[in-house]
Amino acid sequence: MASDIKPLTKLAAWQALETHYLKVRELHLRELFAGNPKRGEQLTTEALGIYFDYSKHRVTDETITLLLQLAEESGLRARIESMFRGEKINMTENRAVLHTALRAPKDRSILVDGEDVIPQIHSVLDKMAGFADKVRAGEWKGHTGKQIRNVVNIGIGGSDLGPVMAYEALRHYTHRGLTFRFVSNIDGTDFAEAVRDLDAEETLFIIASKTFTTLETMTNAHTARDWALKTMSSRAVAMHFVALSTNAAEVRKFGIDTANMFGFWDWVGGRYSMCSAIGLSTMIAVGPDNFIAMLDGFHQMDEHFRTAPFERNLPALMGLLGLWYNNFFDAQTIAVLPYEQYLKRFPAYLQQLTMESNGKRVTMDGTVLDYQTGPVYWGEPGTNGQHSFYQLIHQGTKLIPCDFIAFVKPLNPLGRHHDLLMANVFAQAEALAFGKTSQEAGAEGVPAWLVPHKTFEGNRPSTTILMDELTPAALGKLVALYEHSVFTQGAIWQIDSFDQWGVELGKVLAGRIVPELENKTEPELNHDSSTNALIRRYRKGK
Ligand code: G6Q
């Protein structure tokens, strides 16, 4: 971070927001809408085909002015430039953060350590396209000459969540003659169920791992090789395994020819890697043209984030609104509610993007924070959520801002389905905002004793993100919208949104216990008494 920026809570805009909050916290959306009949049109903005309605937020014009001022005083603009220029803003890992370069056009030039990375990016994209076309056309044959019909992506975290989310999101555009599976968990069930109905001779494994050392992925990759070689000779590895990685030495060690490796770079963070070679399964599924269209969608949002004034900048506004509830209303979570079945894995994808990025407790310079950072993201596609957890959002004691995501045109028009779906999303946002007063409930003839139960306080804020149709480009725009809103918040919170030491810890923790579970002789256990007892019980029972 720029060291000339004051601590966040000392910024004038932050302090003004603290005072302002005390003034507006009781304001009800009912009053705000009644006070300005045009609010529903004025507090909206539109860019790149995304209609962004933030009128149902507990904000006044002054709130927005102060939030925008906070963005300016935090040095957000300079920090955005630092990211796009390839400066090493991932401070704790001393790395550039250049997922935006992955979707930059060929004629750009972006330097990392003096070297232009754009030609390398496009050379990998071209190699991916050549490979994807062959698999899609049935020209990439297995070891026994059979056509590849199944693609199994083995990866975890950033090497799984992006690919599986994008596959589901773009399923409408996928090659229906190919079967796609995604294996991530070290739980053997994940692999066993993924391959149980597959013919090894028709199956291609994509081993997706930036480091090529991750325990789960390497264990699953070895299991996949054993499974494939049960029916084929070891020479089959060449036709049935490809690697997506930055680590050529480990790829070679595993036995995959580096000709079948698709590379990327240390300046691509795992959770920001779906536009890199990690997207190979997506490209095979939807074809190179659709993949490139998706990248273009990402790029359009990148340009918008970089150039649009903050008051019309969708990721900046989204980040600031999230921060308003997180830091001033003390809201702990945000619900992401896509009214689009194809986005069913989008909340899970966002959980990693947002929580791994902004789940931090110290500033860049190591100072323990005295304010909240990343909220918990969660969600389910509408309307399913309405029949379960929405109750708590409507009438519980917690304030949960919601992101509603919907599309005007359905990809599968079926009778009245889409009108009914859209009626639900609009109705939910309306009901959350305005609720139902006890007078209204009483006027409906509700008996007095039941009125408190049938009263809805309202004033539950939400954003509605309305797009035309879920195309590959639309998906790119949507994902980049969230990426940059996470960036906006991380920059203001003065944290490193691009490291993940908590994840690294997880990668080593189990190492000590593994031999204690596997050793034939009773191990001497030196953990706490609970862990010791659990290990003993497991050893006895296994
Ligand atoms: C992402 C994280 C993490 C990572 C996985 C897989 O930002 O770093 O989720 O993607 O741990 O790592 P590999 O790709 O190295 O196997």
Side-chain angles (χ1 to χ4, degrees), residues 205-208 212 241-245 251 256 260-263 277 280:
F205 288 99
I206 299 181
I207 314 300
F212 231 70
F241 286 79
V242 300
L244 320 177
S245 187
V251 167
I256 297 177
N260 293 337
M261 167 177 163
F262 301 83
L280 183 65

Side-chain angles (χ1 to χ4, degrees), residues 268-521:
V268 182
R271 54 193 173 278
Y272 296 91
S273 65
M274 60 178 280
C275 299
S276 73
I278 291 294
L280 183 65
S281 59
T282 317
M283 196 193 263
I284 296 173
V286 302
D289 289 348
N290 280 322
F291 191 83
I292 298 297
M294 179 184 80
L295 294 189
D296 183 55
F298 271 96
H299 177 66
Q300 289 183 47
M301 185 55 78
D302 294 342
E303 290 292 286
H304 169 78
F305 183 49
R306 192 176 187 176
T307 57
F310 288 149
E311 64 268 25
R312 283 187 279 113
N313 190 312
L314 302 186
L317 282 173
M318 190 182 213
L320 289 166
L321 288 165
L323 183 142
W324 172 234
Y325 296 108
N326 186 68
N327 292 102
F328 296 93
F329 285 82
D330 208 16
Q332 299 293 310
T333 83
I334 291 190
V336 183
L337 308 163
Y339 279 65
E340 169 53 72
Q341 182 65 18
Y342 284 124
L343 290 180
K344 66 180 182 190
R345 295 285 291 173
F346 192 60
Y349 172 80
L350 277 190
Q351 283 185 327
Q352 181 189 29
L353 177 69
T354 60
M355 289 157 74
E356 204 168 280
S357 297
N358 285 344
K360 306 291 159 66
R361 57 178 286 282
V362 294
T363 60
M364 289 282 217
D365 62 13
T367 309
V368 176
L369 301 172
D370 56 357
Y371 47 85
Q372 293 280 314
T373 57
V376 175
Y377 274 75
W378 57 286
E380 277 288 319
T383 57
N384 299 6
Q386 290 175 208
H387 295 265
S388 67
F389 55 78
Y390 277 41
Q391 166 60 35
L392 187 148
I393 309 179
H394 281 287
Q395 285 190 306
T397 53
K398 297 186 168 45
L399 179 70
I400 303 178
C402 300
D403 288 352
F404 290 104
I405 303 169
F407 297 85
V408 172
K409 295 191 189 113
L411 290 171
N412 294 295
L414 268 183
R416 300 170 64 213
H417 281 255
H418 199 63
D419 286 342
L420 298 179
L421 177 73
M422 296 302 285
N424 272 281
V425 66
F426 297 146
Q428 287 295 327
E430 185 179 28
L432 286 170
F434 303 107
K436 185 188 282 181
T437 61
S438 46
Q439 289 84 343
E440 285 167 341
E444 284 173 3
V446 174
W449 67 270
L450 202 49
V451 164
H453 300 275
K454 292 202 153 190
T455 297
F456 293 80
E457 200 186 11
N459 222 11
R460 267 68 170 162
S462 66
T463 308
T464 301
I465 297 169
L466 190 59
M467 299 175 81
D468 187 44
E469 191 178 41
L470 179 52
T471 59
L475 180 68
K477 291 174 196 174
L478 190 63
V479 175
L481 168 64
Y482 277 93
E483 284 180 348
H484 297 318
S485 94
V486 166
F487 181 93
T488 298
Q489 297 184 337
I492 296 175
W493 289 326
Q494 305 183 351
I495 57 178
D496 188 336
S497 298
F498 299 100
D499 62 11
Q500 57 284 312
W501 296 106
V503 177
E504 308 306 330
L505 172 72
K507 289 189 179 184
V508 294
L509 276 184
R512 183 170 154 213
I513 296 184
V514 171
E516 294 171 347
L517 303 185
E518 291 183 336
N519 279 354
K520 291 273 169 290
T521 53

